[in-house]
Amino acid sequence: MSDQQQPYGQQYEGQYEGQYEGQYGDAYQSQNQSQNQGYDPYQQQQQQPQAQAWPGQQQAYDEAQAQQYTQQWQGQTWETQMQAPVTALAEVPEVPETPYLPPQSAAGDTGDTGYGPATVAGNARITDAQRARLEGRSPIIEPGMQPAALTAVLGLFLSGTAAIGSYALVVPLVVLQAVTAAGWFRLNGMWPARQGIALAFAGGLTADVALLAAGRENGPAAILGTLAVWVLLTLVLQLRSHADPDTRMSGLMATVASAALTIIAAGHLAADPDAVSVGAAAVAVAVLARALPLPTAVSVVVALLAAAGAGVAVGGMTGLGSEGAFLGVAAGVCALVGHRVASYDYPSRFVHFTAGVALPLAAAAPAVYLVGRALA
């Protein structure tokens, strides 16, 4: 087909195609490149749906686009935006820590240093014992001479009233049980613990009443029965608590141990009066000897020898004679164990004047009862 016979449209297209590309191709390409340099896909994506969106869909679309750009900004400019604040924080000067001052004496006068045991109310601050371990110091501080003197006074009071009668012995025994209940909770870092102290002290009073009603011959049944009832009562009360499991477990253990020591201290009332006189006097002398400024091993030996001597001396006045030395040594060993427990875990002065005073006498009660029955 000749050029004249081609349709007018095809003839026109073939005629001007090469001419158009030659004249306008370069200009169109440069214009297209300049437009691509400022091309923003997110802007075109935003404009196109906005132009096509219905009026009811405009608000939902704006919220989706805002969330998309927020995520994009967080992913692209996080490092550049956060670099300045981190650098500013790194330049903050450190505040020097106040050095910890150790106790002034070995008697245990720790004072208030800003640190202290955690309480049942939720105080989780670091304890003095933990700080002492971190600093390489020993967390053991013995009560000292003043608590030992109070223990000696209370022991001699027990020894004297035992010779008078059971009802006279109840007076110093109740004091011993009250101090034992309060001191054990404070020694375990639980203060205030009024309900636990009251519960343990009530157990001791119940054991005293049971012993006075049943008599010395039924002493073990009265003490063990009271202890069993109080363990069950403590368990029920802790199960009704709304505290967390760790707090309930620590409270359960502390309450059971405090009640057990307070109830066991009633063994002085169940023991033979002569044995109570010998054992309480031996504890008083042993604790005083242990508080002397001597090396630990030497003071322990001196304390046991002093307890044996007190047993012989008081035993000669009560009818036990030289056999009182065995009772004195047994009571002295238990007293030293209680003294050592009261020295554990960097205790405070309140611990020394409660647990440090009462635990030697309370721990000696089983030995006074058992050895006294064996010698009688």
Side-chain angles (χ1 to χ4, degrees):
M1 183 180 295
S2 63
D3 296 339
Q4 296 179 357
Q5 296 177 354
Q6 291 180 354
Y8 179 77
Q10 296 181 0
Q11 182 180 1
Y12 176 81
E13 181 179 1
Q15 181 179 359
Y16 291 99
E17 181 177 3
Q19 182 180 358
Y20 177 80
E21 291 180 356
Q23 294 179 0
Y24 299 101
D26 297 337
Y28 176 78
Q29 183 176 4
S30 60
Q31 182 180 2
N32 191 17
Q33 290 180 355
S34 62
Q35 290 179 357
N36 289 336
Q37 291 179 357
Y39 174 75
D40 190 356
Y42 297 99
Q43 183 176 1
Q44 289 188 0
Q45 291 178 4
Q46 180 182 8
Q47 293 176 357
Q48 180 178 359
Q50 286 181 355
Q52 297 178 0
W54 295 94
Q57 300 176 351
Q58 185 69 30
Q59 183 177 358
Y61 177 77
D62 292 340
E63 293 178 357
Q65 290 296 323
Q67 183 177 3
Q68 178 181 0
Y69 293 147
T70 301
Q71 294 177 356
Q72 176 191 0
W73 179 86
Q74 290 178 353
Q76 293 179 358
T77 63
W78 177 262
E79 296 181 357
T80 58
Q81 294 295 329
M82 292 302 295
Q83 184 176 3
V86 172
T87 305
L89 290 176
E91 296 177 355
V92 176
E94 296 182 357
V95 180
E97 183 180 359
T98 303
Y100 175 76
L101 298 177
Q104 297 180 357
S105 63
D109 188 4
T110 59
D112 295 332
T113 59
Y115 298 90
T119 62
V120 294
N123 183 13
R125 55 185 176 177
I126 185 173
T127 63
D128 292 334
Q130 293 171 345
R131 189 170 184 85
R133 291 190 182 95
L134 292 176
E135 295 179 357
R137 295 181 287 108
S138 174
I140 306 300
I141 290 183
E142 298 177 358
M145 184 57 70
Q146 293 180 352
L150 293 178
T151 303
V153 171
L154 186 57
L156 294 177
F157 196 15
L158 283 170
S159 180
T161 54
I164 298 175
S166 298
Y167 290 97
L169 181 61
V170 170
V171 177
L173 181 59
V174 170
V175 176
L176 174 62
Q177 290 170 335
V179 178
T180 301
W184 184 259
F185 275 96
R186 188 63 179 89
L187 182 62
N188 285 269
M190 295 182 179
W191 189 264
R194 300 181 183 88
Q195 294 181 355
I197 294 173
L199 183 61
F201 181 60
L205 294 181
T206 303
D208 296 341
V209 173
L211 283 169
L212 292 175
R216 288 192 177 92
E217 60 276 4
N218 297 319
I223 292 177
L224 294 177
T226 305
L227 183 59
V229 171
W230 245 251
V231 169
L232 181 60
L233 179 61
T234 303
L235 181 61
V236 172
L237 292 178
Q238 289 297 327
L239 289 177
R240 293 174 57 87
S241 175
H242 298 287
D244 58 278
D246 293 337
T247 303
R248 283 189 292 176
M249 181 58 67
S250 59
L252 175 63
M253 294 296 102
T255 306
V256 169
S258 179
L261 289 171
T262 306
I263 294 172
I264 288 175
H268 290 291
L269 191 60
D272 184 75
D274 294 340
V276 175
S277 298
V278 174
V283 170
V285 175
V287 173
L288 284 175
R290 183 66 179 83
L292 294 176
L294 298 173
T296 302
V298 176
S299 64
V300 168
V301 174
V302 171
L304 293 178
L305 292 176
V312 173
V314 180
M317 294 185 294
T318 57
L320 290 178
S322 60
E323 293 180 351
F326 299 100
L327 179 58
V329 171
V333 170
C334 294
L336 293 181
V337 172
H339 181 273
R340 176 61 176 78
V341 172
S343 306
Y344 182 69
D345 205 16
Y346 218 91
S348 62
R349 288 180 60 85
F350 187 88
V351 174
H352 287 158
F353 282 97
T354 52
V357 172
L359 286 183
L361 288 168
V368 170
Y369 177 80
L370 294 175
V371 179
R373 283 182 63 90
L375 296 177

